[in-house]
Amino acid sequence: MPGIGKYHLVAELARGGMGIVHLATSHGPGGFQKLLVVKELKPELCQDDSFVAMFLDEARLAARLQHPNIVQTIEVGSEGQRHYMVMEFLDGRSLNRIARRFADRGVFPVGAHLRVISEALRGLHYAHELRDFDGEPMGIVHRDVSPLNVLVTFDGQVKVIDFGIAKSIDSTQETKTGVLKGRIAYMAPEQAWGQPVDRRADVYSAGVMLWEAATGRRLWPGKNEVEILATMLREGPPSPRFVRPDTPAALEAICMRALARDPKERYPSAADLVADLEDYLARRPDAMSMRDIGGLVSAVFAEERRKTSALIDETLSRVRGSAPRSGVMLTLEGHTRGTPSGPSRVLPSPGRILGSLQPSAASVAPQQPWWRTWTTGRATIAGAAAGTLVLLVLVLAAALGGDVPAGASAAMHPRAAAAPDALVVSDFLLEAQVETDADRNAAMAARWAAARPPTHPGKHPSTSPTTAEPPASPVPPAPPAEIGPSGGHAPLRP
């Protein structure tokens, strides 16, 4: 199974502009196993110093962020030309996917939607307020706040993910003139103009998410990026009541202040926006706790979650076992986490993937009991030694010019004609029998040579009729072992 560092890569979760996100496992003593997420810089970008520096900036920044509403980064590492970061595994779905799923099955409750945004704002405020080790503000701005980068877990947690284009004071990369980083539909006007940004740019992006939660639709539907930029810079976003007249006045006021074109007219911080939003949520009849929201989301994605969990469990069981593995990494559905801007990867049915990995029953040879294999092996060695002694006696007799009566071989070593089952004896008895047989064979050869009558030249010695040697019990040949291309495994059959 492919891996990087000390981590086994189980399946690919997503691809973005810079990175590939994998589901991975970490193993330890006593059967320890933990699911993690590994984000790796794309191989084709590893030779570009600017992309490597940008990726390491993200990793260094992410490692400093420790908050319940931000995905946790556990480790950052490099292996040769490969650069990666290790993050916690979050079992959930993005806010974007949740909204789309509820659009097909019923509207996502506005109170629940607003609660998720409020939790995400708490994580953003923590990042905005973070200070360096010397106490100086780090000036972090996410710059890509959107429903794709807000994840809701099935147990009721909200996590802000993907600080890939986040800006901080100690960043080594400067944004080039004419280059836009972020999603245009959620971008603040000053960011679109290429001007310096601060935390209020993230407040604007959160305001777009609030507007969409209040109206139940996208802010700029049917427009391409150029049209969105032109409309945003010329007119600004419309009021929620223009689209949905029943929008409460208090919610409309919160949205329009967060979406002010002039940063000075917006909420000065994410915490100030959370304060007004929580005060409004306290008066909404559909307000929900995060625990209830987690249960609601889990129920909607129950079937999809079951299939994904079964696929992961089956794959991990193959990692723990000794069955042959194909070495092909699986691909799970959708943007579970990491950089969600890449194309979705469709999850094939578990039967299609796992069926080709299962060896057929006929290709797995039954194993002999350990005691039978051990004793049979020892008996085989003893039988070979006894046969060698018999051959030496016959050669000695022939050298002395005499004939060996038929059946003498069986008489000198009665075990040679015995059935194979008679060779199953204990270790010490077998060794003693070999030594006794050797002494008996030597003495019998000497007696036979002394008792032989003289032979006259030119005449054949007289021979007396002897009893024919009984045929040995036939031993069926062992069935041929099935050897696969790797030399040690039976061939895999779908």
Side-chain angles (χ1 to χ4, degrees):
M1 178 164 289
I4 184 170
K6 62 181 180 180
Y7 304 99
H8 299 280
L9 304 183
V10 176
E12 182 179 311
L13 298 177
R15 282 178 179 259
M18 287 178 53
I20 305 173
V21 183
H22 304 282
L23 178 66
T25 58
S26 175
H27 299 270
F32 170 82
Q33 184 171 266
K34 185 176 180 64
L35 278 176
L36 300 162
V37 170
V38 173
K39 182 177 181 180
E40 177 186 6
L41 182 63
K42 285 184 174 179
E44 60 268 25
L45 303 179
C46 290
Q47 304 299 325
D48 191 318
D49 293 339
S50 62
F51 281 104
V52 173
M54 192 183 305
F55 185 83
L56 295 179
D57 275 348
E58 176 190 357
R60 182 172 60 252
L61 176 61
R64 292 290 312 276
L65 301 173
Q66 302 289 328
H67 189 271
N69 296 119
I70 296 178
V71 62
Q72 303 299 296
T73 299
I74 300 170
E75 181 183 351
V76 177
S78 297
E79 186 179 71
Q81 293 295 320
R82 302 175 71 182
H83 307 281
Y84 63 94
M85 66 179 77
V86 183
M87 298 172 286
E88 64 176 326
F89 171 72
L90 300 175
D91 191 14
R93 296 293 183 269
S94 69
L95 182 57
N96 178 65
R97 289 196 63 195
I98 293 172
R100 287 193 291 113
R101 177 61 61 88
F102 274 95
D104 298 334
R105 302 189 179 186
V107 179
F108 189 39
V110 176
H113 203 153
L114 297 178
R115 173 67 64 194
V116 170
I117 298 173
S118 177
E119 292 294 316
L121 283 166
R122 297 176 190 273
L124 288 172
H125 181 69
Y126 163 82
H128 296 158
E129 291 287 318
L130 190 64
R131 295 178 177 269
D132 209 343
F133 296 112
D134 58 2
E136 293 296 321
M138 295 187 65
I140 297 174
V141 185
H142 190 286
R143 298 199 298 178
D144 196 17
V145 177
S146 71
L148 282 167
N149 286 333
V150 174
L151 193 109
V152 181
T153 65
F154 295 125
D155 60 354
Q157 301 180 65
V158 175
K159 300 278 187 174
V160 179
I161 64 175
D162 197 4
F163 281 76
I165 64 170
K167 186 69 176 176
S168 64
I169 292 176
D170 64 345
S171 295
T172 61
Q173 300 294 304
E174 294 292 335
T175 302
K176 297 179 180 180
T177 303
V179 176
L180 289 179
K181 293 183 177 181
R183 290 172 176 82
I184 301 296
Y186 297 89
M187 188 177 293
E190 65 272 19
Q191 185 177 349
W193 279 113
Q195 299 174 352
V197 296
D198 56 21
R199 64 177 69 189
R200 292 171 295 185
D202 288 346
V203 169
Y204 181 95
S205 300
V208 177
M209 295 170 61
L210 291 172
W211 191 98
E212 294 180 346
T215 62
R217 49 156 272 191
R218 298 291 299 274
L219 177 57
W220 310 109
K223 296 181 181 293
N224 59 38
E225 292 186 346
V226 175
E227 293 172 337
I228 292 174
L229 278 173
T231 306
M232 175 179 61
L233 298 176
R234 183 179 62 250
E235 304 173 3
S239 167
R241 283 193 169 189
F242 180 79
V243 176
R244 187 169 179 174
D246 61 343
T247 302
L251 181 55
E252 179 190 31
I254 294 173
C255 290
M256 296 312 294
R257 183 180 177 185
L259 292 172
R261 297 178 63 186
D262 186 351
K264 296 178 182 179
E265 298 178 3
R266 295 178 205 150
Y267 287 99
S269 69
D272 294 318
L273 176 54
V274 168
D276 280 0
L277 190 56
E278 289 293 335
D279 183 64
Y280 169 73
L281 279 172
R283 303 191 301 269
R284 278 196 70 98
D286 60 349
M288 301 175 65
S289 67
M290 282 310 307
R291 180 177 180 180
D292 293 337
I293 294 173
L296 180 64
V297 173
S298 180
V300 171
F301 288 91
E303 182 63 19
E304 178 181 312
R305 185 187 183 194
R306 184 190 64 79
K307 293 180 180 179
T308 303
S309 298
L311 180 59
I312 292 175
D313 290 343
E314 184 69 22
T315 305
L316 293 182
S317 68
R318 296 188 64 80
V319 174
R320 290 190 296 265
S322 59
R325 292 190 279 275
S326 66
V328 178
M329 193 162 52
L330 305 178
T331 301
L332 301 185
E333 177 185 5
H335 307 299
T336 308
R337 58 200 31 79
T339 307
S341 57
S344 298
R345 307 299 296 267
V346 178
L347 171 67
S349 65
R352 288 178 57 192
I353 295 179
L354 300 176
S356 62
L357 300 179
Q358 297 292 342
S360 62
S363 66
V364 181
Q367 296 183 352
Q368 295 288 342
W370 67 269
W371 56 268
R372 184 63 179 260
T373 303
W374 174 68
T375 53
T376 304
R378 302 289 298 188
T380 302
I381 296 174
T388 302
L389 291 176
V390 171
L391 181 61
L392 289 176
V393 170
L394 295 176
V395 171
L396 179 60
L400 295 177
D403 293 333
V404 180
S409 173
M412 285 186 288
H413 191 11
R415 303 180 67 85
D421 289 341
L423 299 178
V424 184
V425 292
S426 62
D427 233 3
F428 69 94
L429 287 178
L430 184 59
E431 294 173 359
Q433 182 66 38
V434 171
E435 294 175 359
T436 303
D437 287 347
D439 295 340
R440 185 187 301 115
N441 291 342
M444 186 173 292
R447 290 197 301 270
W448 182 261
R452 177 183 177 277
T455 304
H456 299 284
K459 295 184 178 181
H460 293 289
S462 61
T463 57
S464 58
T466 56
T467 305
E469 180 181 356
S473 301
V475 179
E482 296 189 24
I483 304 299
S486 60
H489 297 295
L492 301 181
R493 300 186 179 94

